[in-house]
Amino acid sequence: MRSEVAAAIRALAALAAGMAIGALLRPPLEPTLSAAYIWLYIVIAAAGFYVGRSWREVARAGRRIILDGLAFAGFAVAGDVAAGVVVSAALGLPANLVVAAALGSGWYSFTGPYLATLSPIFGVIGLVANQLREDYTLAFFPALYSYLGPPAVIMGGATSMDTTLGVTARYAGARWALVGLVQGVVLTAIIPVLVPTVAMFRI
Amino acid sequence: MLTLEELIYISLAVGVVAGFLESLRPSRRASKAVDLLSMFSIIVLVGLMGVVVGSELHSLTGYEGLRAATATALVSALPGLMGVLMGMAAVRRH
């Protein structure tokens, strides 16, 4: 689990360093975002690689685990949409962009850069909110699992196939870690389609 | 000229196919190369997005800033919690 914490710390350190540079130098957004998109395609291709590579683990997991993972992925998407609608209504923000940010399901390195193409502020919200979701899962999963049981795996969203898999395996056991793996694989495969579709669907 | 969305779908599809092929003929070197590339690209991407966040911070003042901060705080916690609650309700019904 140490490697997951190290990955989260590295990402937070990169965000903090970037924020400091951005606040001090205020570089123009266009070239910064253009450079970011090149890396975005690499991040997505690498995520796709992990999805493609996991088919054996998913196939071996067994029917019950696959069905639970699919159900959890469905609840994760439903929770994202419901929360996005509530937040947009409460704050008077565009529903399509808030729901798209929520649908990131913890995949901050995709959601933030993608939403920044539509609105820099929503790029910030998509990036920071989803990074925090991953951090909350790493920090609070043990407590959530002890109070709420197996559905706590849903909190991890797309991160449950990689960064939060360790914490799930340690506190919930191998069965629920496999359910989390299926949930994460499904969400990682559908988020790059879902987020742009919802974001461009003006409500 | 391909759109951003088309490039995203192509990247994902290329990655899935490459991952599938790698699983048929596992290569430790290829796997390690992807792990390193993934780690490095996430750090660079998050750093670049941090630059965007930092340069946008000055425009996030007053009510707009408060609204963006509130949205960030709510979007970070509510989606996961609502998903968990829906999952719990479904588990209880079974």
Side-chain angles (χ1 to χ4, degrees):
Chain A
M1 208 175 70
R2 222 177 264 170
S3 64
E4 285 87 356
V5 175
I9 291 170
R10 269 197 302 267
L12 280 174
L15 180 68
M19 280 175 71
I21 293 168
L24 289 172
L25 304 178
R26 288 194 199 170
L29 283 186
E30 194 76 10
T32 312
L33 284 172
S34 298
Y37 297 140
I38 295 164
W39 293 101
L40 175 65
Y41 304 135
I42 298 170
V43 167
I44 292 169
F49 181 87
Y50 294 127
V51 169
R53 201 174 61 173
S54 336
W55 72 271
R56 270 212 186 96
E57 282 91 336
V58 172
R60 255 191 244 131
R63 195 167 162 266
R64 188 67 245 166
I65 284 173
I66 292 173
L67 288 176
D68 283 346
L70 286 171
F72 276 18
F75 290 127
V77 170
D80 293 346
V81 173
V85 169
V86 168
V87 174
S88 76
L91 298 175
L93 291 166
N96 58 328
L97 295 180
V98 181
V99 173
L103 277 169
S105 301
W107 191 359
Y108 57 86
S109 55
F110 166 70
T111 315
Y114 176 75
L115 289 179
T117 60
L118 306 170
S119 154
I121 298 301
F122 274 91
V124 172
I125 293 171
L127 179 84
V128 179
N130 283 291
Q131 181 150 34
L132 285 173
R133 179 167 174 177
E134 181 185 278
D135 298 336
Y136 292 159
T137 307
L138 283 171
F140 302 123
F141 181 80
L144 270 179
Y145 180 75
S146 67
Y147 285 111
L148 308 175
V153 173
I154 297 166
M155 183 77 186
T159 70
S160 60
M161 73 174 275
D162 43 47
T163 40
T164 61
L165 184 62
V167 76
T168 309
R170 178 161 175 193
Y171 293 98
R175 186 190 188 280
W176 294 108
L178 278 171
V179 170
L181 176 78
V182 175
Q183 168 189 287
V185 167
V186 171
L187 289 174
T188 304
I190 64 173
I191 285 169
V193 179
L194 268 184
V195 170
T197 307
V198 170
M200 284 193 280
F201 186 74
R202 294 201 181 276
I203 304 161
Chain B
M1 185 77 177
L2 294 168
T3 64
L4 176 71
E5 289 76 21
E6 286 166 340
L7 284 167
I8 285 169
Y9 304 150
I10 291 168
S11 305
L12 184 69
V14 167
V16 171
V17 171
F20 177 75
L21 292 175
E22 199 271 344
S23 74
L24 299 177
R25 287 184 66 183
S27 152
R28 201 175 243 195
R29 200 180 286 178
S31 190
K32 200 163 188 186
V34 174
D35 285 347
L36 275 174
L37 184 66
S38 172
M39 185 184 78
F40 184 70
S41 54
I42 287 174
I43 289 172
V44 175
L45 182 57
V46 170
L48 286 168
M49 287 308 296
V51 173
V52 174
V53 175
S55 57
E56 283 297 305
L57 279 181
H58 70 277
S59 63
L60 290 174
T61 53
Y63 179 64
E64 283 308 309
L66 184 67
R67 214 157 62 135
T70 310
T72 304
L74 291 175
V75 171
S76 67
L78 264 189
L81 287 176
M82 286 182 104
V84 172
L85 292 177
M86 286 176 185
M88 282 175 65
V91 167
R92 278 203 191 125
R93 208 173 296 155
H94 277 278

Coordinates of all heavy atoms in Angstrom, one line a residue, chain A residues 43-131:
Chain A
V43 N -1.6 9.4 -20.9 CA -2.3 8.9 -19.7 C -3.4 8.0 -20.0 O -3.6 7.0 -19.5 CB -2.7 10.1 -18.8 CG1 -3.7 9.7 -17.7 CG2 -1.5 10.9 -18.2
I44 N -4.3 8.5 -21.0 CA -5.4 7.7 -21.4 C -5.0 6.3 -22.0 O -5.6 5.3 -21.7 CB -6.3 8.5 -22.4 CG1 -7.0 9.6 -21.6 CG2 -7.4 7.6 -23.0 CD1 -7.7 10.6 -22.5
A45 N -4.0 6.4 -22.9 CA -3.5 5.2 -23.5 C -3.0 4.2 -22.5 O -3.2 3.0 -22.6 CB -2.4 5.5 -24.6
A46 N -2.2 4.7 -21.5 CA -1.7 3.9 -20.4 C -2.8 3.3 -19.6 O -2.8 2.1 -19.3 CB -0.8 4.7 -19.5
A47 N -3.9 4.1 -19.3 CA -5.1 3.6 -18.6 C -5.7 2.5 -19.4 O -6.1 1.4 -18.9 CB -6.0 4.7 -18.3
G48 N -5.8 2.7 -20.7 CA -6.4 1.7 -21.6 C -5.6 0.4 -21.6 O -6.1 -0.7 -21.6
F49 N -4.2 0.5 -21.5 CA -3.3 -0.6 -21.5 C -3.7 -1.5 -20.2 O -3.8 -2.7 -20.3 CB -1.9 -0.1 -21.4 CG -0.8 -1.2 -21.3 CD1 -0.3 -1.7 -22.5 CD2 -0.4 -1.6 -20.1 CE1 0.6 -2.7 -22.5 CE2 0.6 -2.6 -20.1 CZ 1.1 -3.1 -21.2
Y50 N -3.9 -0.8 -19.1 CA -4.2 -1.5 -17.9 C -5.5 -2.2 -17.9 O -5.7 -3.3 -17.4 CB -4.1 -0.6 -16.6 CG -2.7 -0.1 -16.4 CD1 -2.4 1.3 -16.2 CD2 -1.6 -0.9 -16.3 CE1 -1.2 1.8 -16.0 CE2 -0.3 -0.5 -16.1 CZ -0.1 0.9 -15.9 OH 1.2 1.3 -15.7
V51 N -6.5 -1.5 -18.6 CA -7.8 -2.1 -18.8 C -7.7 -3.4 -19.7 O -8.1 -4.5 -19.3 CB -8.8 -1.1 -19.5 CG1 -10.1 -1.9 -19.9 CG2 -9.1 0.0 -18.5
G52 N -7.0 -3.3 -20.8 CA -6.8 -4.4 -21.8 C -6.0 -5.5 -21.1 O -6.3 -6.7 -21.4
R53 N -5.1 -5.2 -20.3 CA -4.2 -6.2 -19.6 C -5.0 -7.0 -18.5 O -4.6 -8.1 -18.2 CB -3.0 -5.6 -19.0 CG -1.9 -6.5 -18.8 CD -0.6 -5.8 -18.4 NE -0.8 -5.1 -17.1 CZ 0.2 -4.5 -16.5 NH1 1.4 -4.5 -17.0 NH2 -0.1 -3.9 -15.3
S54 N -6.1 -6.3 -18.0 CA -6.7 -7.0 -16.8 C -7.8 -8.0 -17.2 O -8.5 -8.5 -16.3 CB -7.4 -5.9 -15.9 OG -6.8 -4.7 -16.0
W55 N -8.0 -8.2 -18.5 CA -9.2 -9.1 -18.9 C -9.1 -10.4 -18.3 O -10.1 -11.0 -17.9 CB -9.3 -9.1 -20.4 CG -8.2 -10.0 -21.1 CD1 -7.0 -9.6 -21.6 CD2 -8.3 -11.4 -21.4 NE1 -6.3 -10.6 -22.1 CE2 -7.1 -11.7 -22.0 CE3 -9.2 -12.4 -21.2 CZ2 -6.8 -13.0 -22.5 CZ3 -9.0 -13.7 -21.6 CH2 -7.8 -14.0 -22.2
R56 N -7.9 -11.0 -18.1 CA -7.7 -12.3 -17.5 C -8.2 -12.3 -16.1 O -8.9 -13.2 -15.6 CB -6.3 -12.8 -17.6 CG -6.0 -13.5 -18.9 CD -5.0 -14.6 -18.7 NE -4.7 -15.2 -20.0 CZ -3.7 -14.8 -20.8 NH1 -2.8 -13.9 -20.3 NH2 -3.5 -15.3 -22.0
E57 N -7.7 -11.3 -15.3 CA -8.1 -11.2 -13.9 C -9.6 -11.1 -13.8 O -10.3 -11.7 -12.9 CB -7.5 -10.0 -13.2 CG -6.0 -10.2 -12.8 CD -5.1 -9.7 -13.9 OE1 -5.5 -9.7 -15.1 OE2 -3.9 -9.4 -13.6
V58 N -10.2 -10.3 -14.7 CA -11.7 -10.0 -14.6 C -12.4 -11.3 -15.0 O -13.3 -11.7 -14.3 CB -12.1 -8.9 -15.6 CG1 -13.6 -8.8 -15.7 CG2 -11.5 -7.6 -15.1
A59 N -11.9 -12.0 -16.0 CA -12.5 -13.3 -16.5 C -12.4 -14.3 -15.4 O -13.3 -15.1 -15.2 CB -11.9 -13.7 -17.8
R60 N -11.3 -14.3 -14.7 CA -11.1 -15.4 -13.7 C -11.9 -15.1 -12.4 O -12.0 -16.0 -11.6 CB -9.6 -15.4 -13.3 CG -8.9 -16.6 -13.9 CD -7.5 -16.7 -13.3 NE -6.5 -16.5 -14.4 CZ -5.4 -15.7 -14.3 NH1 -5.2 -15.0 -13.2 NH2 -4.6 -15.6 -15.3
A61 N -12.3 -13.8 -12.2 CA -12.9 -13.4 -11.0 C -14.2 -14.2 -10.6 O -14.5 -14.4 -9.5 CB -13.2 -11.9 -11.0
G62 N -14.9 -14.7 -11.6 CA -16.1 -15.4 -11.3 C -17.3 -14.6 -11.6 O -17.2 -13.3 -11.4
R63 N -18.4 -15.2 -11.9 CA -19.6 -14.5 -12.3 C -20.2 -13.6 -11.2 O -20.5 -12.4 -11.5 CB -20.7 -15.6 -12.6 CG -21.9 -15.0 -13.4 CD -22.7 -16.2 -14.0 NE -24.0 -15.6 -14.3 CZ -25.1 -15.6 -13.5 NH1 -25.0 -16.2 -12.3 NH2 -26.2 -15.1 -13.9
R64 N -20.2 -14.0 -10.0 CA -20.8 -13.2 -8.9 C -20.0 -11.9 -8.7 O -20.5 -10.9 -8.5 CB -20.7 -14.1 -7.6 CG -21.4 -13.6 -6.4 CD -22.9 -13.5 -6.6 NE -23.3 -12.1 -6.5 CZ -24.5 -11.7 -6.9 NH1 -25.4 -12.5 -7.4 NH2 -24.8 -10.4 -6.8
I65 N -18.6 -12.1 -8.7 CA -17.8 -10.9 -8.5 C -17.9 -9.9 -9.7 O -18.0 -8.7 -9.5 CB -16.3 -11.4 -8.3 CG1 -16.2 -11.9 -6.9 CG2 -15.3 -10.2 -8.6 CD1 -14.8 -12.6 -6.6
I66 N -18.0 -10.5 -10.9 CA -18.2 -9.6 -12.1 C -19.5 -8.8 -12.0 O -19.6 -7.6 -12.2 CB -18.1 -10.4 -13.4 CG1 -16.7 -10.9 -13.6 CG2 -18.5 -9.5 -14.6 CD1 -16.5 -11.8 -14.7
L67 N -20.6 -9.6 -11.6 CA -21.9 -8.9 -11.5 C -21.9 -7.8 -10.4 O -22.4 -6.7 -10.6 CB -23.0 -10.0 -11.2 CG -23.3 -10.9 -12.3 CD1 -24.4 -11.9 -11.9 CD2 -23.9 -10.1 -13.5
D68 N -21.2 -8.1 -9.2 CA -21.1 -7.1 -8.2 C -20.3 -5.9 -8.6 O -20.7 -4.8 -8.4 CB -20.4 -7.7 -6.9 CG -21.3 -8.6 -6.1 OD1 -22.6 -8.6 -6.4 OD2 -20.8 -9.4 -5.3
G69 N -19.2 -6.2 -9.4 CA -18.4 -5.1 -9.9 C -19.2 -4.2 -10.9 O -19.1 -3.0 -10.8
L70 N -20.0 -4.9 -11.7 CA -20.8 -4.1 -12.7 C -21.9 -3.3 -11.9 O -22.1 -2.1 -12.3 CB -21.5 -5.0 -13.7 CG -20.6 -5.7 -14.8 CD1 -21.3 -6.7 -15.5 CD2 -20.1 -4.6 -15.7
A71 N -22.5 -3.9 -10.9 CA -23.5 -3.2 -10.1 C -22.8 -2.0 -9.4 O -23.4 -0.9 -9.4 CB -24.1 -4.1 -9.1
F72 N -21.7 -2.2 -8.8 CA -21.0 -1.1 -8.1 C -20.6 0.0 -9.1 O -20.7 1.2 -8.8 CB -19.7 -1.6 -7.4 CG -20.0 -2.2 -6.1 CD1 -21.3 -2.6 -5.7 CD2 -19.0 -2.4 -5.2 CE1 -21.5 -3.2 -4.5 CE2 -19.2 -3.0 -3.9 CZ -20.5 -3.4 -3.6
A73 N -20.2 -0.4 -10.3 CA -19.9 0.7 -11.3 C -21.1 1.5 -11.7 O -21.1 2.7 -11.8 CB -19.3 0.0 -12.6
G74 N -22.3 0.8 -11.8 CA -23.5 1.4 -12.0 C -23.9 2.4 -10.9 O -24.3 3.5 -11.2
F75 N -23.7 1.9 -9.6 CA -24.0 2.8 -8.5 C -23.1 4.0 -8.5 O -23.5 5.1 -8.1 CB -24.0 2.0 -7.2 CG -25.1 1.0 -7.0 CD1 -24.8 -0.3 -6.7 CD2 -26.4 1.4 -7.2 CE1 -25.8 -1.2 -6.6 CE2 -27.4 0.5 -7.0 CZ -27.1 -0.8 -6.7
A76 N -21.8 3.8 -8.8 CA -20.9 4.9 -8.9 C -21.3 6.0 -9.9 O -21.3 7.2 -9.6 CB -19.5 4.4 -9.2
V77 N -21.7 5.5 -11.1 CA -22.2 6.5 -12.1 C -23.5 7.2 -11.6 O -23.6 8.4 -11.7 CB -22.5 5.7 -13.5 CG1 -23.2 6.6 -14.4 CG2 -21.1 5.3 -14.0
A78 N -24.4 6.4 -11.0 CA -25.7 7.0 -10.6 C -25.4 8.0 -9.5 O -26.0 9.1 -9.5 CB -26.6 5.9 -10.0
G79 N -24.5 7.7 -8.5 CA -24.1 8.6 -7.5 C -23.5 9.9 -8.0 O -23.8 11.0 -7.6
D80 N -22.6 9.7 -9.0 CA -22.0 10.9 -9.7 C -23.0 11.8 -10.3 O -23.0 13.0 -10.1 CB -21.0 10.4 -10.8 CG -19.8 9.6 -10.2 OD1 -19.6 9.7 -9.0 OD2 -19.1 9.0 -11.0
V81 N -24.0 11.2 -11.0 CA -25.0 12.0 -11.7 C -25.9 12.7 -10.7 O -26.1 13.9 -10.8 CB -25.8 11.1 -12.7 CG1 -27.0 11.9 -13.3 CG2 -25.0 10.6 -13.8
A82 N -26.3 11.9 -9.7 CA -27.2 12.5 -8.7 C -26.5 13.7 -7.9 O -27.1 14.8 -7.7 CB -27.6 11.4 -7.7
A83 N -25.3 13.4 -7.5 CA -24.5 14.5 -6.8 C -24.3 15.7 -7.7 O -24.4 16.8 -7.2 CB -23.2 13.9 -6.3
G84 N -24.0 15.4 -8.9 CA -23.7 16.6 -9.9 C -25.0 17.4 -10.0 O -24.9 18.7 -10.0
V85 N -26.1 16.8 -10.1 CA -27.4 17.5 -10.3 C -27.7 18.3 -9.0 O -28.0 19.5 -9.1 CB -28.6 16.5 -10.6 CG1 -29.9 17.2 -10.5 CG2 -28.4 15.9 -12.0
V86 N -27.5 17.7 -7.9 CA -27.7 18.4 -6.6 C -26.8 19.6 -6.4 O -27.2 20.7 -6.1 CB -27.5 17.4 -5.4 CG1 -27.5 18.2 -4.1 CG2 -28.6 16.4 -5.4
V87 N -25.5 19.4 -6.7 CA -24.5 20.5 -6.6 C -24.8 21.6 -7.5 O -24.8 22.8 -7.2 CB -23.1 20.0 -6.7 CG1 -22.1 21.1 -6.7 CG2 -22.7 19.0 -5.6
S88 N -25.1 21.3 -8.8 CA -25.4 22.3 -9.8 C -26.6 23.1 -9.4 O -26.7 24.4 -9.6 CB -25.5 21.8 -11.2 OG -26.7 21.2 -11.4
A89 N -27.7 22.4 -8.9 CA -28.9 23.1 -8.5 C -28.6 24.0 -7.3 O -29.1 25.2 -7.2 CB -30.0 22.1 -8.2
A90 N -27.9 23.5 -6.3 CA -27.6 24.3 -5.1 C -26.8 25.5 -5.4 O -27.0 26.6 -4.8 CB -26.9 23.4 -4.1
L91 N -25.8 25.4 -6.3 CA -24.9 26.5 -6.5 C -25.2 27.3 -7.8 O -24.5 28.3 -8.1 CB -23.4 26.0 -6.6 CG -22.9 25.3 -5.3 CD1 -21.5 24.8 -5.6 CD2 -22.9 26.3 -4.2
G92 N -26.2 26.9 -8.6 CA -26.5 27.6 -9.8 C -25.4 27.5 -10.9 O -25.2 28.5 -11.6
L93 N -24.8 26.4 -10.9 CA -23.7 26.2 -11.9 C -24.2 25.3 -13.1 O -25.2 24.6 -12.9 CB -22.5 25.5 -11.3 CG -21.7 26.3 -10.3 CD1 -20.8 25.5 -9.4 CD2 -20.9 27.4 -11.0
P94 N -23.6 25.3 -14.3 CA -24.1 24.5 -15.4 C -24.1 23.0 -15.1 O -23.1 22.5 -14.7 CB -23.1 24.8 -16.5 CG -22.3 26.0 -16.1 CD -22.5 26.1 -14.6
A95 N -25.3 22.4 -15.2 CA -25.5 21.0 -14.8 C -24.6 20.1 -15.6 O -24.0 19.2 -15.0 CB -26.9 20.6 -14.9
N96 N -24.4 20.4 -16.9 CA -23.6 19.4 -17.7 C -22.2 19.4 -17.2 O -21.6 18.3 -17.2 CB -23.7 19.8 -19.2 CG -23.2 21.3 -19.5 OD1 -23.4 22.1 -18.6 ND2 -22.7 21.5 -20.6
L97 N -21.6 20.6 -16.9 CA -20.2 20.6 -16.5 C -20.0 20.0 -15.1 O -19.0 19.4 -14.8 CB -19.7 22.0 -16.6 CG -19.6 22.6 -18.0 CD1 -19.1 24.0 -18.0 CD2 -18.8 21.7 -18.9
V98 N -21.0 20.3 -14.1 CA -20.8 19.8 -12.8 C -21.0 18.3 -12.8 O -20.2 17.5 -12.2 CB -21.9 20.4 -11.8 CG1 -21.7 19.9 -10.4 CG2 -21.7 21.9 -11.8
V99 N -22.0 17.8 -13.5 CA -22.2 16.3 -13.6 C -21.0 15.7 -14.3 O -20.5 14.6 -13.8 CB -23.5 16.0 -14.4 CG1 -23.6 14.5 -14.6 CG2 -24.7 16.4 -13.6
A100 N -20.4 16.3 -15.3 CA -19.2 15.8 -16.0 C -18.0 15.7 -15.0 O -17.3 14.7 -15.0 CB -18.8 16.6 -17.2
A101 N -17.9 16.8 -14.2 CA -16.8 16.8 -13.2 C -17.0 15.6 -12.2 O -16.0 15.0 -11.8 CB -16.7 18.1 -12.5
A102 N -18.2 15.4 -11.8 CA -18.5 14.4 -10.8 C -18.3 13.0 -11.4 O -17.8 12.1 -10.8 CB -20.0 14.5 -10.3
L103 N -18.6 12.9 -12.7 CA -18.5 11.6 -13.4 C -17.0 11.2 -13.6 O -16.7 10.0 -14.0 CB -19.1 11.6 -14.8 CG -20.6 11.3 -14.8 CD1 -21.2 11.7 -16.2 CD2 -20.9 9.9 -14.5
G104 N -16.1 12.1 -13.3 CA -14.7 11.8 -13.4 C -14.3 10.6 -12.4 O -13.3 9.9 -12.6
S105 N -15.2 10.4 -11.4 CA -15.0 9.2 -10.5 C -13.6 9.1 -9.9 O -13.1 7.9 -9.8 CB -15.5 7.9 -11.1 OG -16.8 8.0 -11.6
G106 N -12.9 10.2 -9.7 CA -11.6 10.1 -9.1 C -10.5 10.1 -10.2 O -9.3 10.2 -9.8
W107 N -10.8 10.0 -11.4 CA -9.8 10.0 -12.5 C -9.5 11.5 -12.8 O -9.9 12.1 -13.8 CB -10.2 9.3 -13.7 CG -9.2 9.0 -14.7 CD1 -7.9 9.5 -14.7 CD2 -9.3 8.4 -16.0 NE1 -7.2 9.1 -15.8 CE2 -8.0 8.4 -16.6 CE3 -10.3 7.7 -16.6 CZ2 -7.7 7.8 -17.8 CZ3 -10.1 7.1 -17.9 CH2 -8.8 7.2 -18.5
Y108 N -8.7 12.1 -12.0 CA -8.4 13.6 -12.1 C -7.6 13.9 -13.3 O -7.7 15.0 -13.9 CB -7.8 14.1 -10.8 CG -6.5 13.4 -10.4 CD1 -5.3 13.8 -10.9 CD2 -6.5 12.3 -9.5 CE1 -4.1 13.1 -10.6 CE2 -5.4 11.6 -9.2 CZ -4.2 12.0 -9.7 OH -3.1 11.3 -9.4
S109 N -6.6 13.0 -13.6 CA -5.7 13.3 -14.7 C -6.4 13.3 -16.1 O -5.8 13.8 -17.1 CB -4.5 12.3 -14.7 OG -5.0 11.0 -14.8
F110 N -7.6 12.8 -16.2 CA -8.4 12.9 -17.4 C -9.4 14.0 -17.3 O -9.5 14.9 -18.1 CB -9.1 11.6 -17.7 CG -10.2 11.8 -18.7 CD1 -9.8 12.0 -20.1 CD2 -11.5 11.7 -18.4 CE1 -10.8 12.2 -21.0 CE2 -12.5 11.9 -19.4 CZ -12.1 12.2 -20.7
T111 N -10.2 14.0 -16.2 CA -11.3 14.9 -16.0 C -10.9 16.4 -16.0 O -11.5 17.2 -16.7 CB -12.1 14.6 -14.7 OG1 -12.3 13.2 -14.6 CG2 -13.4 15.3 -14.7
G112 N -9.8 16.7 -15.3 CA -9.4 18.1 -15.2 C -8.9 18.7 -16.6 O -9.5 19.7 -17.0
P113 N -8.0 18.0 -17.2 CA -7.5 18.5 -18.5 C -8.6 18.6 -19.6 O -8.7 19.5 -20.4 CB -6.4 17.6 -19.0 CG -5.9 17.0 -17.7 CD -7.1 16.9 -16.8
Y114 N -9.5 17.6 -19.5 CA -10.6 17.6 -20.5 C -11.6 18.8 -20.3 O -11.9 19.5 -21.2 CB -11.4 16.2 -20.6 CG -12.5 16.4 -21.5 CD1 -12.3 16.3 -22.9 CD2 -13.8 16.7 -21.1 CE1 -13.3 16.5 -23.8 CE2 -14.8 16.9 -22.1 CZ -14.5 16.8 -23.4 OH -15.5 17.0 -24.3
L115 N -12.0 18.9 -19.1 CA -13.0 20.0 -18.8 C -12.3 21.4 -19.0 O -13.0 22.4 -19.3 CB -13.5 19.9 -17.4 CG -14.5 18.7 -17.2 CD1 -15.0 18.7 -15.7 CD2 -15.7 18.8 -18.1
A116 N -11.0 21.5 -18.9 CA -10.3 22.8 -19.1 C -10.5 23.3 -20.5 O -10.4 24.4 -20.8 CB -8.8 22.6 -18.7
T117 N -10.8 22.3 -21.4 CA -11.0 22.7 -22.8 C -12.3 23.5 -23.0 O -12.5 24.3 -23.9 CB -11.1 21.5 -23.8 OG1 -12.2 20.7 -23.4 CG2 -9.8 20.7 -23.8
L118 N -13.2 23.2 -22.1 CA -14.6 23.9 -22.1 C -14.6 25.1 -21.2 O -15.3 26.0 -21.5 CB -15.7 22.9 -21.8 CG -15.6 21.5 -22.6 CD1 -16.6 20.5 -22.0 CD2 -16.0 21.8 -24.0
S119 N -14.0 25.0 -20.1 CA -13.9 26.1 -19.1 C -12.8 25.9 -18.2 O -12.7 24.9 -17.5 CB -15.3 26.1 -18.3 OG -15.1 26.7 -17.0
P120 N -11.8 26.9 -18.1 CA -10.7 26.7 -17.2 C -11.1 26.5 -15.8 O -10.5 25.7 -15.1 CB -9.9 28.0 -17.4 CG -10.3 28.5 -18.7 CD -11.7 28.1 -18.9
I121 N -12.2 27.2 -15.3 CA -12.6 27.0 -13.9 C -13.1 25.6 -13.7 O -12.8 25.0 -12.6 CB -13.7 28.0 -13.6 CG1 -13.2 29.4 -13.7 CG2 -14.3 27.8 -12.2 CD1 -12.0 29.8 -12.9
F122 N -13.8 25.0 -14.6 CA -14.3 23.6 -14.5 C -13.1 22.6 -14.6 O -13.2 21.5 -14.1 CB -15.5 23.3 -15.4 CG -16.7 23.7 -14.8 CD1 -17.3 25.0 -15.0 CD2 -17.4 22.9 -13.9 CE1 -18.4 25.4 -14.3 CE2 -18.6 23.2 -13.3 CZ -19.1 24.5 -13.5
G123 N -12.1 23.0 -15.3 CA -10.9 22.2 -15.4 C -10.3 22.1 -14.0 O -9.9 21.0 -13.5
V124 N -10.3 23.2 -13.3 CA -9.7 23.3 -11.9 C -10.6 22.4 -11.0 O -10.1 21.6 -10.2 CB -9.7 24.8 -11.4 CG1 -9.4 24.8 -9.9 CG2 -8.7 25.6 -12.2
I125 N -12.0 22.6 -11.1 CA -12.9 21.8 -10.3 C -12.7 20.3 -10.5 O -12.6 19.5 -9.6 CB -14.3 22.3 -10.5 CG1 -14.5 23.8 -10.0 CG2 -15.3 21.4 -9.8 CD1 -15.9 24.4 -10.3
G126 N -12.7 20.0 -11.8 CA -12.6 18.6 -12.2 C -11.3 17.9 -11.7 O -11.3 16.8 -11.3
L127 N -10.2 18.7 -11.8 CA -8.9 18.2 -11.4 C -8.8 18.0 -9.8 O -8.6 17.0 -9.3 CB -7.8 19.1 -11.8 CG -6.4 18.7 -11.4 CD1 -5.8 17.7 -12.4 CD2 -5.4 19.9 -11.3
V128 N -9.1 19.1 -9.1 CA -8.9 19.1 -7.7 C -9.9 18.2 -7.0 O -9.6 17.5 -6.1 CB -9.0 20.6 -7.1 CG1 -8.8 20.6 -5.6 CG2 -7.9 21.4 -7.8
A129 N -11.2 18.3 -7.4 CA -12.3 17.5 -6.7 C -12.0 16.0 -6.9 O -12.1 15.3 -5.9 CB -13.6 17.8 -7.3
N130 N -11.5 15.6 -8.1 CA -11.3 14.2 -8.3 C -10.0 13.7 -7.6 O -9.9 12.6 -7.2 CB -11.3 13.8 -9.8 CG -12.7 13.8 -10.3 OD1 -13.5 12.9 -10.0 ND2 -13.1 14.8 -11.1
Q131 N -9.0 14.6 -7.6 CA -7.8 14.2 -6.8 C -8.2 14.1 -5.3 O -7.7 13.1 -4.7 CB -6.7 15.3 -7.0 CG -5.5 14.9 -6.3 CD -4.2 15.5 -6.9 OE1 -4.3 16.5 -7.5 NE2 -3.1 14.7 -6.9

